[in-house]
Amino acid sequence: MKRRGLLVSLAVMALAGVAAARFAPYLYVESWPLLNDPATAMSPEPARIAKGRMVGDYFAVEELGEGVYAIGEPRYYQANYSYLIVGDKRALLFDAGSGTRDMRPVVKGLTDRPVTILPSHLHYDHLAGIGAGDRVAIVDLPSTRADIAGNRFSPGRYQFLGMFDGLKTPTFEVAEWIKPGATIDLGGRTLRLLSTPGHTPQSVSLYDAAGGRLFTGDFIYPTMLYAFLPGANRADYRQTAQRLLKELPPETRLWAAHCCRRNEGYAAPWLTMKDLADLDRALGRIDAGTLAATGFFPRRYRVNDQMDIGTTLPWIGS
C-alpha cells in the first residue's frame, strides 16, 4: 500500500512538473507587467550614437546599399531594426517597429514610392508601429487567416504579447495576403517570402537573392534568441535552420531585427550562414543533453560568441 501511495505521489509530482513547464511561457508573459514598468521601454537619454545617421532624437538610418535601409530604434530597450527595401515601383517595409515613435516620416524621407508593411511576425515590437492608412501585407497561413473578423485583422493575445509594453492589441485591414514561397515584385527587384517558424509559428523571412541578403526578423539575431515565449518551438527552430542551410548560398548575409553584435555598438545587426550552422549544432546538442545551460526559465545556452538561445526545459521538446 505504501509503495502504491509513493508511486501515485511521484506520478502526481511528474504531471505537476510537466504542467508547470508547459504553462511557464504563459506565466512568464502574464507576470511581466507585475514585475516591470512599461514606462521604462524607452531610454531617457536624448540620443544614443548609432551607425548611420540619427533622424531626430530617436531613429537611426543606415544605408545598406542598392536601395536597402535599416531603420533602428537605439533608444528602445529591444533596439529594434526594421528594413526598407525600395524597388522601381514600390517599397516594402519589413517590420513596422515598436510604435514608440512614428516611423512613417522617416520612411517618407527615404522614398516617394508607395510602401507596403510586411511584419516578420505578430509580436508587439514588430507590429505596433502600424498606423491608420498603412498598407499591410500578412503571410497567408491558416493561423493568420483565423485572426480575421469581418475585414479586420487582429492578432491573438499570445501572438501580439502587448502586455510587455502595456499595449492594446491592434486591428487593421490586410491589403495583401502573401503565400510562403511567393515572389514579391517591387519593380526592378524581387524578394521571396520564406516561412521560418521557430520563434513563432507565423515567423517569416525575406530573401533577396540578387543582393545576397536574408532579412530574418526574430528567427536569428545577435544576443539571446527567444525560444521560450508562447508559440515558440525548438524543433521548428532546428528544422528551419537546416532548411535554410540547404537552400541558401553560403555567402548570404543575414540582416536581423534586434541589435547588437558584441563590441560593435548600435548598428544594423547582421550574422552569417556560419552563425546559422552554429545555431543548428547548438540545438542538436540541446536535444542530446550535451550543452550546458544556465538558469531555470528560460534555460540559456551559448551558441557562439555572438549569440545565445533561451528555451524551455529541454525535455519538454519545444
Side-chain angles (χ1 to χ4, degrees):
M1 183 66 74
K2 290 183 178 179
R3 182 180 179 185
R4 183 178 179 182
L6 177 61
L7 290 174
V8 169
S9 297
L10 290 173
V12 169
M13 291 172 62
L15 288 172
V18 170
R22 288 289 185 191
F23 286 104
Y26 301 92
L27 294 173
Y28 179 89
V29 299
E30 293 293 354
S31 65
W32 182 268
L34 302 176
L35 303 174
N36 298 273
D37 181 5
T40 62
M42 191 172 81
S43 167
E45 301 172 16
R48 286 176 172 171
I49 297 174
K51 188 175 180 180
R53 62 183 177 87
M54 293 298 296
V55 178
D57 68 349
Y58 184 78
F59 290 105
V61 174
E62 188 176 336
E63 188 169 357
L64 303 182
E66 300 174 319
V68 179
Y69 302 89
I71 304 174
E73 302 177 68
R75 289 182 61 191
Y76 183 61
Y77 71 106
Q78 297 202 59
N80 280 43
Y81 272 79
S82 303
Y83 294 89
L84 179 68
I85 305 145
V86 181
D88 293 335
K89 295 182 178 179
R90 63 175 180 144
L92 188 73
L93 180 62
F94 193 51
D95 284 330
S98 69
T100 306
R101 293 280 183 88
D102 188 354
M103 191 185 293
R104 284 175 291 184
V106 180
V107 173
K108 288 179 180 178
L110 297 172
T111 182
D112 58 0
R113 286 139 175 96
V115 176
T116 299
I117 298 171
L118 174 64
S120 64
H121 59 296
L122 304 178
H123 284 170
Y124 65 101
D125 51 321
H126 302 260
L127 203 69
I130 292 173
D134 287 336
R135 188 179 193 278
V136 182
I138 296 289
V139 62
D140 193 348
L141 297 169
S143 60
T144 51
R145 288 281 186 174
D147 290 328
I148 287 287
N151 65 341
R152 306 285 289 177
F153 180 89
S154 185
R157 179 175 179 82
Y158 296 112
Q159 291 174 326
F160 184 60
L161 299 181
M163 67 283 289
F164 278 88
D165 279 8
L167 299 174
K168 293 182 179 179
T169 302
T171 300
F172 51 85
E173 292 186 8
V174 178
E176 186 177 357
W177 292 93
I178 306 177
K179 292 282 189 183
T183 297
I184 303 169
D185 186 359
L186 302 180
R189 73 185 313 155
T190 59
L191 305 167
R192 186 156 59 95
L193 185 70
L194 304 180
S195 176
T196 50
H199 180 65
T200 75
Q202 300 83 20
S203 291
V204 294
S205 298
L206 278 179
Y207 180 47
D208 175 10
R213 305 179 181 95
L214 182 72
F215 302 96
T216 65
D218 277 6
F219 177 74
I220 187 171
Y221 53 86
T223 71
M224 187 175 82
L225 305 181
Y226 278 34
F228 59 88
L229 297 176
N233 186 286
R234 197 173 67 249
D236 286 347
Y237 240 114
R238 193 171 190 207
Q239 289 174 9
T240 298
Q242 291 178 341
R243 175 166 50 85
L244 294 177
L245 286 166
K246 290 178 181 177
E247 293 180 357
L248 302 184
E251 65 273 13
T252 302
R253 177 65 60 94
L254 313 180
W255 292 98
H258 290 286
C259 176
C260 300
R261 291 175 61 83
R262 288 189 170 95
N263 302 318
E264 290 195 12
Y266 288 89
W270 59 271
L271 293 167
T272 68
M273 294 295 283
K274 179 184 179 302
D275 294 303
L276 186 60
D278 289 345
L279 175 60
D280 174 44
R281 282 191 291 270
L283 289 166
R285 292 186 62 194
I286 292 171
D287 290 342
T290 61
L291 188 61
T294 58
F296 177 74
F297 187 89
R299 299 283 287 168
R300 186 166 186 153
Y301 298 87
R302 173 56 58 92
V303 174
N304 60 22
D305 63 347
Q306 290 293 339
M307 183 171 39
D308 296 346
I309 186 168
T311 77
T312 58
L313 293 172
W315 45 268
I316 293 300
S318 63

